[in-house]
């Protein structure tokens, strides 16, 4: 299951630098002028999970296979992007292809780095970005309403959707995000989202790009952004793009020591992944054999057959049962054979709800 996170932000806030650091791929030009990113840069990033290494110590596999996460670096937005300013609607359409929007917001001063708006004000930057996304949603919703009005003349169900769509249009017009609409759980709203794919219905995370001092203690910019995120039920991740870049060339032990010296437990990448998984209701289960130890990404509350489908659709179609050992039991017993001897292996059927970290093998009919 792919999880695409789109990095957006105004020019020169550290977005492409963050992309370079997070993906460990220097394929997004981080230059000190607007629009250095012309095409969206995409990267497939392994999801770090310490549990895989613990399993590998026991199983000694030929390889370790991580879950992956898609990052898309989308060129900087400016005021008027929804009307074609800067590089215009092309970027808005790129955002539409992602599941999560990660807004990189500059939260530090540096006279050597030009800010497109002339000063540092994270709430203003967020307002500009989200304002452009709202305007883009208003445009597509207005077009949909025009069609609904024609359909409503002969279709009562279309009339119900039309009434809700007009309420949503007014809500967006007041500067609100679609995800905060009070009827966002209604069938009519879900129908509209499937048809229109609102940009402001997506999950939003804020990346507060600070200097090194800001990692240790929140400055006024980070504090303001945190308050905004809390009001809108959005996750915030504090990171320093410069530090993330420095982590690129370090071995795991060196990186861990470097972060500890800074008083930070997780890198920006790890924070983004963990909070992104949580926001989208995702989790991992594992398969562990001599060929490979592998992580599989599924949605929380998935049944065993749905989990099997992550490996191959035939596994779900021909599902018989699953052999399951919890991660804790697998590690404490020292592997599958000893866990089985200790009675820690369970046979689970089609109704079993997979738990995060389960080690699973599937029995199925070909």
């Amino acid at each position: 299951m792919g999880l695409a996170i789109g990095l957006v932000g105004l020019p020169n806030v550290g977005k492409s630098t963050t992309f370079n650091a997070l993906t460990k791929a220097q394929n997004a030009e981080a230059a000190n002028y607007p629009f250095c990113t012309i095409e969206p840069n995409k990267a497939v990033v392994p999801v770090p999970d310490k549990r895989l290494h613990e399993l590998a110590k026991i199983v000694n596999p030929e390889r370790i296979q991580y879950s992956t996460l898609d990052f898309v670096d989308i060129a900087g937005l400016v005021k008027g992007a929804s009307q074609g300013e800067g590089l215009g609607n092309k970027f808005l359409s790129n955002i539409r292809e992602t599941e999560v929007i990660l807004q990189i917001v500059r939260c530090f001063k540096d006279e050597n780095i030009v800010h497109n708006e002339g000063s540092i004000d994270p709430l203003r930057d967020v307002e500009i970005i989200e304002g452009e996304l709202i305007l883009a949603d208003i445009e597509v919703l207005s077009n949909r309403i025009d069609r609904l009005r024609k359909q409503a003349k002969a279709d009562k169900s279309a009339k119900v959707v039309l009434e809700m769509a007009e309420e949503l249009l007014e809500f967006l017009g007041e500067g609100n995000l679609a995800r905060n609409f009070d009827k966002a759980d209604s069938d009519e709203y879900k129908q509209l989202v499937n048809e229109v794919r609102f940009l402001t219905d997506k999950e939003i995370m804020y990346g507060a790009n600070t200097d090194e001092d800001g990692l240790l203690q929140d400055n006024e910019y980070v504090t303001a952004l945190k308050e905004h995120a809390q009001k809108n039920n959005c996750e915030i991740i504090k990171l320093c793009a410069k530090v993330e870049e420095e982590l690129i060339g370090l071995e795991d032990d060196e990186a861990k020591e470097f972060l500890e010296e800074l008083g930070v437990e997780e890198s920006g990448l790890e924070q983004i992944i963990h909070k992104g998984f949580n926001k989208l209701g995702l989790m991992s289960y594992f398969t562990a054999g001599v060929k490979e130890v592998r992580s599989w990404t599924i949605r929380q509350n998935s049944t065993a057959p749905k989990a099997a489908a992550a490996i191959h659709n035939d596994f779900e179609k021909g599902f018989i049962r699953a052999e399951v050992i919890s991660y804790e039991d697998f590690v404490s017993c020292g592997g599958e054979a000893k866990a089985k001897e200790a009675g820690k292996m369970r046979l689970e059927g089609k109704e079993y709800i997979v738990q995060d970290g389960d080690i699973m093998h599937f029995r199925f009919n070909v």
Side-chain angles (χ1 to χ4, degrees):
M1 177 183 296
L3 168 63
I5 296 181
L7 275 69
V8 301
L10 298 181
N12 301 326
V13 296
K15 177 178 58 62
S16 290
T17 301
T18 301
F19 176 82
N20 289 339
L22 296 179
T23 61
K24 298 185 178 180
Q26 300 298 311
N27 61 344
E29 182 184 5
N32 187 24
Y33 55 88
F35 311 126
C36 64
T37 309
I38 305 301
E39 294 295 333
N41 292 274
K42 298 182 181 180
V44 180
V45 184
V47 177
D49 194 323
K50 296 175 182 177
R51 295 174 297 182
L52 286 171
H53 294 282
E54 293 302 315
L55 294 176
K57 289 178 184 178
I58 297 170
V59 179
N60 193 28
E62 294 179 11
R63 60 180 177 270
I64 298 176
Q65 187 72 36
Y66 298 86
S67 295
T68 59
L69 182 66
D70 294 341
F71 281 104
V72 182
D73 180 29
I74 299 168
L77 292 174
V78 294
K79 285 181 180 177
S82 61
Q83 304 301 317
E85 292 296 325
L87 293 172
N89 280 328
K90 181 176 183 180
F91 300 133
L92 298 175
S93 65
N94 290 329
I95 295 170
R96 209 176 296 278
E97 299 306 313
T98 64
E99 286 88 357
V100 174
I101 296 174
L102 173 61
Q103 291 189 43
I104 302 298
V105 185
R106 185 167 154 190
C107 293
F108 68 94
K109 290 183 178 179
D110 187 332
E111 295 180 357
N112 295 318
I113 303 176
V114 177
H115 191 290
N116 199 61
E117 294 297 314
S119 62
I120 306 302
D121 185 343
L123 296 189
R124 176 208 57 211
D125 293 358
V126 167
E127 184 178 346
I128 290 173
I129 293 170
E130 294 180 355
E132 294 304 321
L133 301 182
I134 289 170
L135 288 173
D137 280 349
I138 287 175
E139 181 180 357
V140 295
L141 180 58
S142 296
N143 293 334
R144 185 72 185 102
I145 286 174
D146 288 341
R147 294 195 296 273
L148 282 169
R149 284 173 178 160
K150 296 176 182 177
Q151 295 173 11
K153 294 177 182 179
D155 186 347
K156 291 182 179 180
S157 62
K159 185 177 181 180
V160 175
V161 176
L162 172 62
E163 291 174 354
M164 193 275 299
E166 290 175 334
E167 289 182 41
L168 177 58
L169 184 64
E170 182 178 353
F171 183 76
L172 292 171
E174 294 170 350
N176 299 301
L177 304 177
R179 66 195 302 271
N180 295 328
F181 187 48
D182 61 2
K183 295 182 179 178
D185 291 331
S186 68
D187 292 337
E188 291 79 15
Y189 179 84
K190 291 175 182 177
Q191 178 182 330
L192 270 180
V193 169
N194 288 335
E195 296 170 353
V196 178
R197 299 176 68 191
F198 297 116
L199 297 174
T200 62
D201 180 68
K202 296 179 181 295
E203 292 288 350
I204 294 175
M205 299 193 296
Y206 298 111
N209 183 21
T210 74
D211 53 18
E212 289 188 25
D213 291 338
L215 286 177
L216 296 176
Q217 185 172 357
D218 292 350
N219 58 34
E220 59 182 302
Y221 305 123
V222 174
T223 299
L225 187 59
K226 280 187 173 180
E227 291 175 355
H228 176 80
Q230 187 174 10
K231 289 178 183 177
N232 290 277
N233 192 32
C234 296
E235 293 283 359
I236 183 168
I237 297 158
K238 189 165 65 170
L239 54 87
C240 175
K242 183 179 179 182
V243 167
E244 296 294 333
E245 275 198 316
E246 292 179 27
L247 289 170
I248 292 174
L250 301 180
E251 297 294 331
D252 290 344
D253 291 342
E254 293 175 323
K256 182 180 179 181
E257 183 178 349
F258 182 44
L259 290 173
E260 287 176 350
E261 290 176 357
L262 292 172
V264 180
E265 293 183 3
E266 288 187 313
S267 70
L269 174 61
E270 290 173 325
Q271 293 182 64
I272 288 168
I273 291 170
H274 295 156
K275 292 189 177 184
F277 266 40
N278 185 57
K279 268 292 183 183
L280 290 181
L282 300 176
M283 68 178 198
S284 299
Y285 77 88
F286 308 120
T287 52
V290 292
K291 288 291 184 182
E292 68 174 13
V293 166
R294 182 163 183 164
S295 174
W296 302 90
T297 302
I298 59 173
R299 295 204 176 275
Q300 293 173 10
N301 298 316
S302 291
T303 60
K306 287 295 181 184
I311 299 176
H312 198 288
N313 288 335
D314 288 346
F315 282 30
E316 179 182 12
K317 293 176 183 177
F319 180 88
I320 300 174
R321 63 180 63 89
E323 298 175 355
V324 184
I325 304 172
S326 72
Y327 169 78
E328 291 77 12
D329 288 338
F330 193 99
V331 173
S332 63
C333 292
E336 180 178 321
K338 292 181 180 179
K340 189 173 182 180
E341 288 176 9
K344 299 298 184 180
M345 176 184 284
R346 311 185 310 275
L347 293 180
E348 301 287 358
K350 293 182 178 180
E351 304 302 317
Y352 176 68
I353 303 299
V354 179
Q355 302 300 302
D356 185 51
D358 277 349
I359 288 85
M360 307 184 72
H361 293 291
F362 300 102
R363 298 181 184 180
F364 63 100
N365 289 317
V366 178

